[in-house]
Amino acid sequence: MNEYLTFVLDAATNPETAGDERQRLRERLTRAGLLASPGAPRERPDPEAVARAGRAAASGTPLSDLVSEGRGEY
């Protein structure tokens, strides 16, 4: 699995590795909207906004509780 993921990420990020199989993979990633086209550098999100989102995601009902509740119905 690691070898495949390395291959996919290398094909997606390294144009020097363009070849038949890699080129096909890059094309598929592009069509799926998973490969960013070259252009202006992307900006990182505001660190405080990321922290707020993390706190919001960490609150509420834990996923393990939802799974346990769902299993009790069957």
Side-chain angles (χ1 to χ4, degrees):
M1 182 62 114
N2 284 341
E3 183 178 348
Y4 176 73
L5 291 175
T6 300
F7 178 81
V8 168
L9 292 173
D10 193 39
T13 60
N14 187 356
E16 297 298 318
T17 60
D20 290 336
E21 189 174 353
R22 281 185 164 81
Q23 194 59 36
R24 286 192 303 270
L25 179 57
R26 286 179 67 85
E27 180 62 29
R28 288 172 52 202
L29 291 169
T30 300
R31 282 190 302 225
L34 299 173
L35 188 61
S37 59
R42 282 29 172 215
E43 292 184 26
R44 292 192 174 271
D46 174 49
E48 183 53 37
V50 172
R52 280 193 308 272
R55 287 190 299 273
S59 64
T61 305
L63 179 59
S64 59
D65 290 351
L66 296 172
V67 170
S68 295
E69 290 172 13
R71 288 183 178 167
E73 296 175 11
Y74 296 101

